Amino acid sequence: EAKFEDHDALITRNARHVMYEWYRKKDKGKWRQLRTLFQQQDKDKNGKVTPRSFEKVLGRVKLKLSKDDLKNLTLCLDLDDDGAVYYEIFVDMVMNEPEKPGDELGAVHKRVTAQLREQRYSGREAGRDIANAFRRQDPDESGKVTNIQFKRACVDRLGLTISPMDMSSICERFDLDGRGTFVDYESFAKWATAGADIDLVERKVGAGLRVIKTVGRSYRRAFEKREEAKISGIITNTNFEDAVNALGLAVSEGEVRALSSKYQDRLDRINWKDVVAACKHAAKSMKRGGLGGSGLNGDYDGDDVDPNDVTALARRLREGIRDWADQHPGELPGLFYRLDLDGNGELSTQEFHRLLKKMDIDVTQELEEALMDCFDTDGSRGIDQEEFLDFVWKWTPTPELGGIGVMMRQRLSRHDVQDMRDTFTKLDAKRRIGGGHQKDF
């Protein structure tokens, strides 16, 4: 088994530069066509295509890679080890410009992501939620806003505090046409949320380590030569990040930083063997259950939530909003619009988090999602104004209601819920013509 040296990266820096330059020079309409072309090849609608279909799409959009780069890229995107390629991960990769060694933007990224975590921007949808904060200023859907609009949205809509120097670095980095006027906020959103779904990062790293073994190499050398003297397995967080980046896996530098942050100790050291074991375990778990969970689909199942907690918190939240409404007569609809930062008519998870902060409710992300489900009666993963007002004024005061919802989510799959919704729709239609009966429920 050959040792893995830095120049043996599976996905080379040159390949990443080729992909990013292709993206940077593309008109947004043509760029978005990439995902559409993949979806057309995705016959099973599971987010995957065959290697042949993957290569076919790249040919259609004229994204040219060397034979070796294409082969290794395909292997790294085959996360389930079943011969199929997760094209959404590739779409994300294309938008990430490779960082240069010692790039100061890496430090800026750390500062920005730390603030976004405080604002609860996490999970697979975090990038979309952040991009939505800028879309109101982009009626043409160009994917760009002016520098002034970008800076204002970062402060007013995302709640970020960014120094002038850091802001200047960000605007320069995402000024894709080099004119100093516009910022590509879609690229910024991907960059800012790299690593927000840390479970998926672990799975991608684990799958990449499997590929390295498959091609007959060993990744251990990349870590061992960076270990601290006489301490097997211990490595500084910076050296850990250098080692993982050198392997050339399907992860960005920002995702590697997120992985490093999760496992480093108080002295900024990491036991790389523990991280490797965790990532391998994550990849095996994914092979059994697909991306699911907190991966690409990001569905909440409520397994870690106490039903009684949800009931009590939902009642407390409802009473808090009612108290606010009593103190501000006639302003409750206005509160909804102020919370709806992107103006799309629905409260996202991040916008709902702002509501909880306003009501002085500080809970885990799992409880936040369970509380949001108390509003979100149509299961759209967003809260429209009607749902918001119904929760406040019409919510049934039965003490067990919140707990019942959580317990059902713990026991029913996503497909079970859809089947149940379809059944209730049929029963409701039956009731309307006089045929429904309580025993049907």
Side-chain angles (χ1 to χ4, degrees):
E1 191 176 65
K3 293 293 185 182
F4 198 101
E5 300 295 342
D6 288 1
H7 60 270
D8 291 328
L10 286 176
I11 303 174
T12 63
R13 286 185 62 83
N14 180 65
R16 290 185 60 196
H17 275 294
V18 168
M19 291 188 287
Y20 178 73
E21 283 300 308
W22 175 89
Y23 163 72
R24 190 178 67 83
K25 295 176 181 178
K26 281 292 177 184
D27 171 82
K28 284 297 179 180
K30 294 181 179 178
W31 147 244
R32 292 180 181 124
Q33 183 188 20
L34 178 63
R35 180 179 278 106
T36 301
L37 290 174
F38 279 128
Q39 290 170 342
Q40 291 171 354
Q41 297 292 324
D42 182 8
K43 305 302 181 184
D44 297 327
K45 306 303 177 188
N46 60 0
K48 298 190 286 187
V49 295
T50 65
R52 185 175 180 180
S53 295
F54 179 73
E55 190 172 347
K56 179 180 178 181
V57 170
L58 296 194
R60 285 191 61 179
V61 299
K62 295 181 172 54
L63 204 173
K64 298 179 181 179
L65 297 172
S66 71
K67 186 176 180 179
D68 287 341
D69 283 335
L70 181 59
K71 175 185 175 182
N72 288 337
L73 177 63
T74 303
L75 288 172
C76 287
L77 295 175
D78 178 12
L79 302 192
D80 292 340
D81 196 23
D82 63 356
V85 175
Y86 276 104
Y87 57 82
E88 286 287 354
I89 294 176
F90 172 74
V91 171
D92 287 350
M93 281 186 66
V94 170
M95 296 179 72
N96 277 301
E97 180 182 12
E99 293 179 13
K100 300 173 183 177
D103 193 338
E104 177 60 26
L105 203 64
V108 177
H109 181 264
K110 278 189 176 182
R111 292 190 282 271
V112 171
T113 54
Q115 291 188 54
L116 290 173
R117 280 196 298 272
E118 291 179 2
Q119 298 289 347
R120 299 293 178 92
Y121 283 97
S122 62
R124 182 65 183 176
E125 300 302 316
R128 186 184 68 176
D129 290 333
I130 289 176
N132 283 341
F134 300 96
R135 286 203 168 95
R136 182 182 288 184
Q137 306 297 326
D138 181 25
D140 298 330
E141 297 187 2
S142 65
K144 299 184 292 186
V145 292
T146 67
N147 286 1
I148 294 174
Q149 290 171 331
F150 178 80
K151 294 173 183 177
R152 186 179 299 137
C154 282
V155 176
D156 296 343
R157 301 189 181 281
L158 298 179
L160 298 176
T161 302
I162 302 176
S163 71
M165 184 176 294
D166 284 357
M167 182 63 77
S168 177
S169 297
I170 292 171
C171 289
E172 182 179 349
R173 163 65 175 77
F174 296 102
D175 169 25
L176 301 192
D177 59 11
R179 298 177 182 176
T181 306
F182 293 97
V183 177
D184 185 312
Y185 64 80
E186 291 184 339
S187 293
F188 168 77
K190 287 292 183 185
W191 173 81
T193 57
D197 188 348
I198 193 63
D199 292 338
L200 180 58
V201 175
E202 290 179 344
R203 291 167 176 177
K204 290 196 290 185
V205 170
L209 297 178
R210 183 189 66 238
V211 173
I212 290 174
K213 185 176 181 180
T214 299
V215 298
R217 299 174 184 164
S218 171
Y219 52 79
R220 298 179 65 89
R221 174 61 179 163
F223 295 102
E224 289 173 342
K225 70 178 185 178
R226 293 176 170 89
E227 287 181 348
E228 293 192 356
K230 300 180 181 180
I231 308 179
S232 177
I234 302 301
I235 192 172
T236 66
N237 59 351
T238 301
N239 283 339
F240 172 82
E241 292 164 16
D242 288 344
V244 177
N245 289 328
L247 296 177
L249 310 181
V251 288
S252 68
E253 288 84 357
E255 290 175 312
V256 175
R257 279 192 290 271
L259 188 65
S260 175
S261 296
K262 177 178 178 178
Y263 287 98
Q264 68 188 33
D265 61 19
R266 296 179 186 177
L267 300 177
D268 294 336
R269 298 181 307 178
I270 294 172
N271 187 321
W272 66 264
K273 294 180 180 179
D274 289 346
V275 182
V276 165
C279 292
K280 285 183 175 180
H281 176 74
K284 289 179 181 178
S285 298
M286 182 177 60
K287 285 178 68 176
R288 291 193 295 269
L291 282 177
S294 59
L296 288 183
N297 297 321
D299 294 324
Y300 149 71
D301 58 18
D303 286 342
D304 299 322
V305 176
D306 185 337
N308 295 320
D309 289 344
V310 179
T311 300
L313 284 168
R315 177 169 293 167
R316 176 182 162 193
L317 177 58
R318 178 174 179 256
E319 290 172 353
I321 299 174
R322 280 191 168 188
D323 288 343
W324 186 92
D326 289 341
Q327 297 168 20
H328 304 81
E331 295 185 26
L332 190 56
L335 173 63
F336 176 87
Y337 289 120
R338 287 198 294 275
L339 292 168
D340 181 22
L341 297 179
D342 57 20
N344 68 347
E346 287 191 341
L347 302 185
S348 66
T349 53
Q350 280 70 35
E351 291 165 342
F352 181 69
H353 173 67
R354 289 173 178 269
L355 170 63
L356 296 186
K357 288 184 68 175
K358 186 175 184 66
M359 297 297 151
D360 292 322
I361 295 178
D362 185 15
V363 295
T364 64
Q365 185 174 344
E366 288 78 10
L367 273 172
E368 277 197 15
E369 292 173 345
L371 279 174
M372 187 168 178
D373 284 343
C374 292
F375 286 79
D376 181 24
T377 56
D378 63 2
S380 67
R381 305 306 295 164
I383 303 168
D384 61 32
Q385 188 184 46
E386 182 179 357
E387 290 173 327
F388 177 77
L389 296 176
D390 280 352
F391 174 87
V392 177
W393 301 120
K394 297 182 181 180
W395 188 65
T396 306
T398 305
E400 294 83 8
L401 186 62
I404 291 172
V406 172
M407 287 187 286
M408 289 181 69
R409 289 182 181 87
Q410 290 173 347
R411 289 164 173 76
L412 298 175
S413 70
R414 187 177 182 179
H415 297 295
D416 290 335
V417 173
Q418 184 60 53
D419 290 344
M420 188 167 62
R421 182 178 289 121
D422 293 341
T423 300
F424 278 131
T425 300
K426 293 176 183 177
L427 291 174
D428 185 46
K430 185 178 178 182
R431 179 189 63 79
R432 292 174 186 275
I433 60 175
H437 201 279
Q438 187 172 359
K439 67 181 182 180
D440 290 331
F441 178 82

